[in-house]
Amino acid sequence: MLQKISGSSFLLLALISLIILFSNLGGIPLLDPDEPVYAQTPKEMLQSADLISPQIYGEFWYDKPPMYYWLVAGAYQLFGVNEFAARFPSALLGLITVLYIYVMGTRFFGERAGFFSALILVTSIEFFYLGKAAVTDITLTLCLTIALLSFIDKKYYLFYIFAGLATVTKGPVGVLFPGAIIVLYIALTQRWTELKSMKLPAGIFIYAAVALPWYVIMYQLHGAAFIDTFIGFHNVTRFTSPEHPEGVLWYYFIPVLLLGFFPWSAVMLQAAWSSLTSSNRGFSKLAFLNIWAWFIFLFFTVSRTKLVSYILPMYPPLAMIVGWYIATLLERRTKRGQTAWAAALLVLGLLLTGVCILGSREMPQLMWGAYAAAVVFGLIAVLGSYWLWKNEIKRVLGLQIAAMAVFSVIFVTMLLPAVEQYFSSQQFAKEFQAKYDGNSPVYVVKFLRPGLAFYADFYGTEIESNWGDAPLLAEVVEKEKKENRKAYFIIQQMQYKKLSAEHQQELQVLVKVADSMVLLKE
C-alpha cells in the first residue's frame, strides 16, 4: 500500500537541506583546479556567444558534455559571474535529489524510511561537500537517480529521458551505468520478461532524441578531433590508464566510502546484509538498490583513474538501504545488530576526532574550526555509541543529523576560510595582476591555470604535463634565457624546489601566496 508524503516532514527536510547545501555557498573562493574549470568554461561560452562548443583559455575542449556548463551559464545570467552562481546548480540539484529520495523512499518502503533515507543522504560528508561544489557530480547523480528509480517504479519513459540527460552530463556512463545495472538485476533475479515491458523501441528513440543532438552537432562542427579526444581520451583512456598514478590503489575507495558516507558508513554493511537476507515485501527493490550501489563501487575500483567524487552516484541507493534498515529496527524494537553499529561508530568517530586534533597541530590556522569539528565527531562517537548500546535509536538519529548539519556549517564558515589561500587562486591572481607588466610572456603550471583564468582573466601558456613536474619548467627557463627576454612563471612551490640552484638564482620571487609563486626572469 502506497503511503502519503507528510507535508511537515517534507518542509523540515527541505529546511535542513537548505541549511546544509546553501550555507556560505558563495563565501568561499573557487577551489583549484576543478571548480575554476567548471566556472571558467561557461564564462567563455557566454563571452563567445557559443553555447554548443565548450571552450577554455580561448580554445575548444572536449573534456565533458555541456549540461553543467549550460546550468552555470543560466545561473550567471541570473546572479552574475561569481562563486555563488557557479555552485548554485549543484546546490539546487542536490536539494532536488534529497527531496526525490524522500518521495521515492516513501513510495517504496513507507514514510518513515523515506524520511530517514533523505536525511541520511544530505548529512553524509561527500554528498553535502559535492553539493556545494562547482563540479558535474551532483548533476550526474540526480539524473542517474531519477533514471534508475524510474525503472524500478516502471516509469520507463522517464527512465529513458534521464538516461539521456545523464549522457549529456557526463558522457557514455550516462547510459552504461543504467544499462549494466538493469541487466545485472534482470539476470540475477531472472526477470527477463521485464525487457518486454520496457518499451525498448520507443525508449531508444526517446533516449536518442535527448542524448544525441549535441554529439551530432559537435561532430559536424569539429569532426574527428571531437570523437578522438572526447571518446578516446576522456572516457576509454581514463578507464584503462591512470590520470593520477599516485592514486592507483585497489583499496582507494574503501576509505573514501567510510569517510564520505560518515556517519552512516558505521551501519551501511549490516544494512546491506539485512536487506538481502531478511524476508520482506520490498526485497526486489532492495536487491536492485544493492546492485546499483555496489556496481558503481566495483566499477571505479577496477577503473585505473580514481577520484574521490566518482562513487557519489552510489550514495542515493545506499542511503535508501540504510534508511529502510533503521526504520525496520525501530519497528521491530530489537537490539540485534546494534552492537556492531555502536562499535563501528565509536571507532570511526574517534578516528575523525583524532584527525581534527592532529590537523590543528599541523596547521594552527585551523585550530578553532578543527576543535569545533572534533567536538562534533567526538559527540557522535561517544554519545551515539552509548545510545545505541541503550537501544535509543531515535536519539542516535537526531544526534547524527543535528551534528552533521552543524559540521557542514563549521566546514564552510571556519575550516575552509582558514585555509582558502592554500586551495584557491583568488588572492594569488590579484597579486599577480598587480605585479604583471602587461606585455611579457607568462608561463603557468596546469594546476593553477584555471584559477588564474577565472580570477585574472588571463590564460598564459601552460608548461606542465604531469603534476609536480619540473623538467619542462627548466626547459622553458633555458629557452627564455637564450632569447634574452623578460618572462613570468606561475608555479607551485613543489616545482620551484625541483629546479636547480642555478635556475632558482636566475628567477626573482615576485609573489608568494601559500604554495603558489610568481617568478620573474629579467
Side-chain angles (χ1 to χ4, degrees), residues 284-489:
S284 64
K285 293 181 176 64
L286 289 166
F288 181 78
L289 294 174
N290 274 283
I291 291 168
W292 170 1
W294 301 113
F295 170 82
I296 289 173
F297 183 84
L298 292 174
F299 178 90
F300 286 116
T301 295
V302 172
S303 171
R304 297 285 287 170
T305 296
K306 303 181 192 298
L307 292 175
V308 168
S309 61
Y310 282 178
I311 61 169
L312 184 69
M314 75 178 289
Y315 282 30
L318 200 56
M320 294 182 78
I321 293 166
V322 175
W324 165 85
Y325 177 68
I326 294 175
T328 302
L329 286 180
L330 287 171
E331 290 172 5
R332 294 176 180 174
R333 300 184 179 277
T334 176
K335 287 189 177 182
R336 194 179 75 173
Q338 292 175 46
T339 303
W341 181 2
L345 187 62
L346 182 64
V347 170
L348 290 174
L350 290 179
L351 279 174
L352 283 175
T353 302
V355 168
C356 290
I357 293 171
L358 290 174
S360 69
R361 293 177 180 175
E362 291 295 320
M363 302 184 74
Q365 63 268 44
L366 282 173
M367 184 176 67
W368 294 113
Y371 284 168
V375 169
V376 169
F377 294 136
L379 282 174
I380 289 175
V382 176
L383 199 54
S385 58
Y386 172 74
W387 278 338
L388 281 170
W389 182 67
K390 298 288 287 184
N391 200 33
E392 297 284 352
I393 295 177
K394 286 185 178 180
R395 287 189 175 185
V396 176
L397 279 173
L399 169 68
Q400 294 190 169
I401 291 161
M404 294 310 294
V406 170
F407 172 70
S408 72
V409 176
I410 291 171
F411 184 71
V412 294
T413 59
M414 299 177 72
L415 289 171
L416 277 181
V419 294
E420 65 183 37
Q421 63 178 342
Y422 290 92
F423 299 101
S424 172
S425 295
Q426 183 190 53
Q427 183 60 37
F428 177 76
K430 290 179 181 177
E431 297 199 24
F432 161 74
Q433 284 179 304
K435 298 287 186 179
Y436 181 50
D437 66 12
N439 297 309
S440 301
V442 178
Y443 298 94
V444 191
V445 293
K446 182 178 181 180
F447 188 86
L448 297 175
R449 199 180 184 198
L452 185 72
F454 184 81
Y455 284 112
D457 285 319
F458 191 90
Y459 305 153
T461 301
E462 190 173 305
I463 56 172
E464 183 184 21
S465 58
N466 295 310
W467 191 69
D469 197 21
L472 290 176
L473 172 60
E475 290 176 14
V476 177
V477 173
E478 284 296 325
K479 170 178 168 289
E480 291 300 323
K481 278 175 61 180
K482 289 178 182 178
E483 296 187 9
N484 193 30
R485 65 176 179 175
K486 185 178 179 181
Y488 293 80
F489 298 86

Side-chain angles (χ1 to χ4, degrees), residues 248-259:
V248 182
L249 304 167
W250 68 266
Y251 56 84
Y252 178 91
F253 285 112
I254 294 176
V256 169
L257 181 58
L258 290 174
L259 173 61

Side-chain angles (χ1 to χ4, degrees), residues 21-22 25 68 71-72 85-97 127 130-139:
L21 293 171
F22 283 86
L25 189 64
Y68 193 75
L71 294 172
V72 174
R87 293 175 176 137
F88 178 78
S90 282
L92 178 62
L93 298 186
L95 173 65
I96 294 171
T97 305
F127 183 86
L130 291 173
K132 300 169 77 71
V135 291
T136 60
D137 300 279
I138 287 287
T139 309

Side-chain angles (χ1 to χ4, degrees), residues 21 93-95 97-98 120-132 138 141 260 312 315-316:
L21 293 171
L93 298 186
L95 173 65
T97 305
V98 171
I120 287 165
L121 181 62
V122 78
T123 54
S124 59
I125 290 177
E126 186 170 357
F127 183 86
F128 73 65
Y129 171 72
L130 291 173
K132 300 169 77 71
I138 287 287
T141 297
L312 184 69
Y315 282 30

Side-chain angles (χ1 to χ4, degrees), residues 97-106 114 117-118 121 145 149 316 320:
T97 305
V98 171
L99 296 177
Y100 189 76
I101 288 295
Y102 169 56
V103 171
M104 298 307 291
T106 298
S117 299
L121 181 62
T145 297
L149 292 180
M320 294 182 78

